[in-house]
Amino acid sequence: MIKQFFQSRLSIACLVIILLFTLAGIFAPYIAPNDPYETDLMNKFSSYTREHPLGTDQLGRCVLSRLIHGIRPTLFLSLLAMAGTITLGLVMGILAGYFRGWVDEVIMRVVDVMLSFPSQIMILAVVALLGIDIRNVILANIFVKWAWYARMIRTTVIQYTGKNFVLFSKSIGSGSPYILTRHLLPCIASELVVLATLDTGWTILNISTLSFLGLGVQAPTPEWGAMLNEAKNVVTSNPGQMVAPGVAIVILIAAFNMLGDCMRDAMDPREVRN
Amino acid sequence: MKIFTALTLAALIFTGCSSESGSETSEPRTNDRLTFVNYRDIRDLNPHLYAGEMYAQEILFERLVVLTADGYAPSLAESWEISEDGLVYTFKIREGVTFHDGEKLDAFAVEKNFDALIENKARHTWLEMMRLLVSAEALDENTFQITMEAPYYPMLTELAVTRPFAIMSPAAMKDGSTKDGVEAYIGTGPYKLDSYVTDEYAIFTAYEDYWGGAPAIKEIYVKVIPDNQTRILALENGEIDLIYGKNMLDADAINKYSSSDRFEVALSEPTSTRHILLNTQNEILQDINVRMAIQHATNKEAISQGIFYGLEKPADALYSPTVPYCNVPLTAYDFNMDKAEEYLEAGGWILEGDTRVKEGRALELTLRYNSDSVTEKSIAEYLQSEYRKIGISLSILGEEEQSYRDNMKSGAFDLVFNISWGMPYDPQSSLAAMLERVYGDYEAQLGIEAKPEIDKAIHHILTSVDEAERQELYNFVLRELHYSACYLPLTYESNKALYVKELKNVGFTQSQYEVPFEKMNF
């Protein structure tokens, strides 16, 4: 499977892109040419120069520096939200799928309730309830998304619980924790990775959307969605402002989505060949 | 799939706003229909209350007198006389004026309006004139008389403001009362309200029997478009003809269209002062050193040039020296970061990392701005980055207009954007409003030691009869307010208009809230 995955040039390209963004984010202070908070009103909306490779924004701040520093909230907060979602979903899904009975009933009814709400609107509602803050946005994301994972993981767990090697392990007296961590977790891990990769794109978009609407990351912290929002305010006079953050979001999300697709193809070889 | 979503999002931003009304643009321009735009709904236009949009109240209703650049001018009152002791005002009501519903305007109708106002007197006492009012009665059909308790020099100015002294048809009142709403918005103005849909549009049509002659533009269609860029795109697409108002246009747009051959730009004389209110009750801001530091750390010249392209001049005092009685010699706070730091050091604020700290309390403040305003956010972000340099951590918080005003009134702010009221309210009415919780001024000033004296002086100003004494009191009040550093003046704001070339005679009046539609034509 891994070999299949690395044969595809697209998947490697996507991996490289994501890796580059991650590194740029981690080493942002060293890479960025200017201080992202440094304003220079006399030099606003300047075009591409050596000093400001992507020009300056409405306060004369370097767009490239803001873009690079913006990777931190945009990408890393999304990954954080993703990690939280997966952890919660995993615990709930395994509990429900392995123990069945009333545990399953309770968890799955809660999941049903969660799934019956449109997720975007739920997130808006949760953020409005908790107050405008990026921490609350992440909480809301986890709160709304975990149910999808719980349901998927439960199904997979049930599927594997019936397999012979698990039954055998049970019959020789392995305890539940042992079976869960040694047999089931590795089996569902690959599927989980694919789903998580596909969904990271969604999360990035979501956090950026909320920042665009003014509910997520607050000024002056550079964040791509918030940068788009500021660019929107000058769309008629300086339309070029939208390009940098817009393109950055498209590239990163496209990379995540295509990577997810490639992983799925690698896992299911039949689909690739027809 | 998700890429697609991202692309659609981007596409929506560019086009979404204009796609719905393509049919209207194809219509040929009829010469008597003007499409105007406002950022919010007309709301409750009851002329005796304060909720409605003022441009709409101005074209529907009229007052007894109006204020022009040359002084008071007759409106519904043809002429007036003031008794020698300054207590009795006798107005001769114009003959042949009818309301939009056909009712005749006479002194008795005016009296009914004043009765309704007096019934809700507490709501109007921000105008000193209302507090000093003894009686308002019709002597006969054409004579109306107002008696005051004490002589009050800005009496006619206050009668001339948009509200609450606008005259409406008594037939539209609820049992002679207006404080709980009115049946219909019926006045004597050049336009009448035809129909409206909340948050979508309002249509005004010309009142053909208007005493001053029917206006050239027969129909005004007002669209509600909250977003600045959407408004400009709509203008570009020919969906609207005119954008008008202080907070409706950003300087970048003005700059872009000033040399356009399709659109005209107009700017009024400075109308009011854009400033920031520092809440002296706040535990950090009650320290005068912090307030002084903020004054000196603010580069007004950079704001004027950088954000407004010089369209708005930097302001050194709460009121422009051109405002009556306000040419008071005051020492402006110059932009000097070193001085600002000295003040903070003197106040005991020690730099720890990025932020200054005093006795375990970090120098953290919040600046609230009105998110419906097109430039306040940029200024706020600029100040945020400037103050960071001297160790003041400023967070900024945008709020929708109504909650922004509510928070201001209740004093729930550290720093907040504010405007002086402009002519004809400045300085007497806006100073009078500092005596009570009208806007944020009252709460912001409570921490000033001299507040009781300032209040006393304002009371004196309003009832003073001696010109020299009045000027002396104004000097005192303005000096105290200036040197207490609780007002941070930024720029002198102008009224702005952007409109299609075909539209003629777009001008500005003394009141910055009025749009003089009746003078315009294509």
Side-chain angles (χ1 to χ4, degrees):
Chain A
M1 173 194 143
I2 290 172
K3 199 176 148 204
Q4 171 104 33
F5 176 74
F6 279 108
Q7 268 171 3
S8 153
R9 250 183 242 149
L10 184 65
S11 58
I12 297 194
C14 291
L15 257 187
V16 170
I17 289 174
I18 293 171
L19 211 66
L20 280 179
F21 270 106
T22 317
L23 287 176
I26 292 172
F27 298 108
Y30 305 103
I31 297 174
N34 295 296
D35 180 351
Y37 299 104
E38 180 71 42
T39 57
D40 178 10
L41 276 181
M42 297 304 142
N43 199 11
K44 63 175 179 173
F45 301 127
S46 86
S47 60
Y48 306 159
T49 58
R50 189 185 294 269
E51 200 186 338
H52 305 288
L54 288 180
T56 57
D57 69 359
Q58 82 281 2
L59 293 173
R61 299 175 294 199
C62 172
V63 171
L64 180 66
S65 305
R66 287 181 71 70
L67 207 61
I68 292 173
H69 278 267
I71 296 173
R72 292 181 164 192
T74 311
L75 182 58
F76 299 160
L77 290 181
S78 307
L79 293 178
L80 184 68
M82 216 51 230
T85 314
I86 290 176
T87 316
L88 189 59
L90 195 67
V91 171
M92 291 303 189
I94 288 184
L95 286 180
Y98 187 74
F99 293 106
R100 309 300 301 268
W102 65 269
V103 181
D104 188 24
E105 274 302 313
V106 171
I107 293 177
M108 290 328 283
R109 291 304 75 76
V110 175
V111 166
D112 285 342
V113 171
M114 295 304 304
L115 291 184
S116 58
F117 291 110
S119 52
Q120 201 73 49
I121 294 181
M122 266 302 268
I123 290 178
L124 284 178
V126 172
V127 173
L129 206 68
L130 295 177
I132 295 171
D133 186 36
I134 186 64
R135 274 166 298 192
N136 296 338
V137 168
I138 293 170
L139 278 182
N141 255 302
I142 296 173
F143 176 72
V144 168
K145 263 297 189 174
W146 71 271
W148 299 81
Y149 286 84
R151 165 156 287 189
M152 201 235 26
I153 289 163
R154 170 182 173 271
T155 318
T156 325
V157 168
I158 292 174
Q159 214 178 331
Y160 283 108
T161 325
K163 288 270 162 78
N164 281 340
F165 70 96
V166 177
L167 293 176
F168 175 75
S169 188
K170 256 187 197 170
S171 66
I172 61 167
S174 309
S176 294
Y178 183 83
I179 296 176
L180 283 176
T181 51
R182 290 299 164 90
H183 297 314
L184 292 178
L185 210 51
C187 288
I188 56 174
S190 56
E191 278 179 56
L192 201 60
V193 168
V194 176
L195 193 66
T197 315
L198 274 172
D199 243 21
T200 307
W202 184 88
T203 317
I204 293 174
L205 202 55
N206 210 357
I207 290 181
S208 291
T209 309
L210 288 168
S211 298
F212 178 80
L213 295 174
L215 298 174
V217 179
Q218 295 299 306
T221 314
E223 200 277 344
W224 296 353
M227 286 171 77
L228 265 183
N229 183 20
E230 280 166 6
K232 183 207 74 177
N233 292 334
V234 290
V235 67
T236 48
S237 45
N238 291 283
Q241 289 281 312
M242 310 207 66
V243 175
V247 169
I249 291 181
V250 169
I251 290 178
L252 189 59
I253 293 174
F256 269 108
N257 286 342
M258 285 179 200
L259 186 70
D261 284 343
C262 291
M263 283 186 176
R264 199 182 48 210
D265 292 346
M267 279 181 57
D268 190 358
R270 275 167 305 175
E271 211 172 300
V272 182
R273 301 208 174 94
N274 53 31
Chain B
M1 190 56 206
K2 273 154 201 164
I3 311 166
F4 179 71
T5 326
L7 287 175
T8 345
L9 189 85
L12 261 177
I13 296 162
F14 278 105
T15 58
C17 342
S18 52
S19 55
E20 55 186 78
S21 33
S23 58
E24 270 170 63
T25 51
S26 53
E27 266 175 44
R29 179 188 303 286
T30 46
N31 273 342
D32 48 10
R33 184 173 190 267
L34 172 79
T35 314
F36 180 60
V37 66
N38 193 33
Y39 71 103
R40 61 177 178 184
D41 190 58
I42 51 170
R43 294 167 302 145
D44 181 10
L45 294 179
N46 181 349
H48 294 170
L49 288 176
Y50 303 95
E53 282 300 274
M54 289 172 87
Y55 79 88
Q57 289 174 326
E58 285 274 2
I59 55 175
L60 293 177
F61 304 101
E62 290 174 298
R63 278 80 53 203
L64 291 176
V65 293
V66 290
L67 196 65
T68 66
D70 311 322
Y72 305 115
S75 178
L76 292 182
E78 215 167 44
S79 61
W80 57 89
E81 278 167 25
I82 308 171
S83 69
E84 271 184 22
D85 55 6
L87 294 181
V88 182
Y89 290 71
T90 313
F91 297 92
K92 186 172 181 298
I93 303 299
R94 191 180 294 275
E95 283 177 58
V97 177
T98 52
F99 288 102
H100 301 154
D101 59 359
E103 296 270 331
K104 189 168 158 277
L105 172 99
D106 54 19
F108 297 107
V110 178
E111 189 189 78
K112 284 192 182 116
N113 275 272
F114 274 81
D115 286 346
L117 286 167
I118 290 165
E119 188 192 3
N120 195 17
K121 194 170 181 172
R123 185 68 188 80
H124 309 302
T125 45
W126 64 279
L127 289 171
E128 191 65 18
M129 180 237 149
M130 205 61 188
R131 213 197 300 265
L132 298 174
L133 187 74
V134 174
S135 71
E137 56 190 346
L139 299 184
D140 59 52
E141 205 167 272
N142 293 319
T143 320
F144 182 70
Q145 196 171 65
I146 294 179
T147 313
M148 307 282 285
E149 195 180 292
Y152 177 54
Y153 88 93
M155 147 80 182
L156 285 177
T157 307
E158 293 192 352
L159 267 191
V161 302
T162 312
R163 54 203 188 188
F165 300 109
I167 307 301
M168 64 175 290
S169 169
M173 295 180 187
K174 282 183 177 163
D175 299 324
S177 159
T178 55
K179 66 177 166 44
D180 302 316
V182 293
E183 305 283 354
Y185 310 126
I186 293 171
T188 56
Y191 289 92
K192 49 187 180 181
L193 182 62
D194 182 87
S195 59
Y196 65 94
V197 173
T198 304
D199 287 336
E200 283 182 28
Y201 66 85
I203 298 173
F204 300 91
T205 49
Y207 179 46
E208 294 299 332
D209 297 329
Y210 181 56
W211 59 268
I217 288 172
K218 296 299 174 200
E219 185 184 302
I220 305 170
Y221 183 94
V222 186
K223 282 190 178 186
V224 176
I225 304 180
D227 180 66
N228 171 39
Q229 296 296 318
T230 317
R231 284 194 290 266
I232 295 171
L233 286 172
L235 184 77
E236 284 257 11
N237 291 341
E239 288 167 41
I240 54 176
D241 303 319
L242 169 68
I243 304 177
Y244 190 110
K246 284 194 310 175
N247 275 323
M248 300 276 283
L249 283 163
D250 60 314
D252 290 305
I254 303 250
N255 205 35
K256 183 184 170 196
Y257 290 107
S258 54
S259 54
S260 156
D261 52 0
R262 286 174 57 209
F263 302 105
E264 286 279 358
V265 168
L267 283 171
S268 77
E269 294 291 306
T271 54
S272 50
T273 316
R274 189 191 290 281
H275 62 263
I276 289 175
L277 212 49
L278 312 181
N279 191 346
T280 54
Q281 288 197 89
N282 176 281
E283 285 185 34
I284 294 174
L285 290 172
Q286 67 186 12
D287 181 355
I288 183 126
N289 288 308
V290 178
R291 302 205 299 270
M292 287 299 218
I294 289 177
Q295 297 277 357
H296 283 294
T298 308
N299 190 349
K300 297 159 190 168
E301 188 61 40
I303 294 174
S304 163
Q305 290 299 328
I307 291 177
F308 296 106
Y309 299 98
L311 294 173
E312 290 190 4
K313 300 279 171 255
D316 286 329
L318 176 57
Y319 298 110
S320 149
T322 55
V323 173
Y325 300 105
C326 292
N327 195 2
V328 181
L330 299 168
T331 319
Y333 296 100
D334 57 325
F335 170 62
N336 187 336
M337 282 292 196
D338 297 333
K339 226 185 234 178
E341 282 190 309
E342 274 166 34
Y343 273 113
L344 288 177
E345 296 285 342
W349 296 92
I350 311 299
L351 202 59
E352 274 180 27
D354 283 340
T355 314
R356 284 177 190 269
V357 180
K358 180 185 182 180
E359 289 156 16
R361 174 186 278 276
L363 190 42
E364 282 168 348
L365 296 165
T366 303
L367 168 60
R368 288 170 187 266
Y369 66 92
N370 173 1
S371 51
D372 286 328
S373 155
V374 292
T375 39
E376 286 181 7
K377 188 176 178 213
S378 301
I379 302 177
E381 279 188 274
Y382 171 68
L383 292 179
Q384 185 177 44
S385 75
E386 286 285 292
Y387 294 168
R388 199 169 65 109
K389 293 179 189 161
I390 54 164
I392 300 177
S393 160
L394 188 72
S395 44
I396 60 173
L397 178 61
E399 291 169 302
E400 180 271 330
E401 175 138 359
Q402 198 56 48
S403 57
Y404 153 84
R405 283 195 190 289
D406 290 345
N407 280 326
M408 201 155 134
K409 213 173 185 171
S410 64
F413 62 87
D414 307 343
L415 293 97
V416 70
F417 276 93
N418 196 18
I419 47 152
S420 70
W421 296 4
M423 297 284 277
Y425 304 95
D426 285 342
Q428 74 290 339
S429 305
S430 48
L431 281 184
M434 291 174 186
L435 302 173
E436 284 171 51
R437 273 184 194 78
V438 177
Y439 283 132
D441 306 87
Y442 178 79
E443 291 281 341
Q445 293 174 8
L446 275 183
I448 307 177
E449 230 170 88
K451 171 75 172 159
E453 288 160 55
I454 296 174
D455 282 5
K456 220 162 89 193
I458 295 176
H459 269 297
H460 275 296
I461 287 174
L462 299 169
T463 49
S464 62
V465 274
D466 179 52
E467 189 77 11
E469 184 202 353
R470 191 185 298 152
Q471 183 64 56
E472 207 40 58
L473 289 164
Y474 268 120
N475 289 356
F476 170 75
V477 170
L478 295 176
R479 257 200 316 265
E480 284 296 326
L481 291 179
H482 184 78
Y483 293 119
S484 70
C486 91
Y487 287 88
L488 173 62
L490 298 172
T491 57
Y492 295 120
E493 219 178 0
S494 307
N495 217 342
K496 308 169 187 83
L498 176 62
Y499 49 96
V500 293
K501 269 247 150 72
E502 294 83 8
L503 190 63
K504 302 290 178 224
N505 294 322
V506 177
F508 302 95
T509 62
Q510 283 302 98
S511 160
Q512 53 181 327
Y513 305 104
E514 183 182 348
V515 186
F517 291 112
E518 69 278 2
K519 298 199 179 83
M520 299 179 196
N521 61 283
F522 281 109

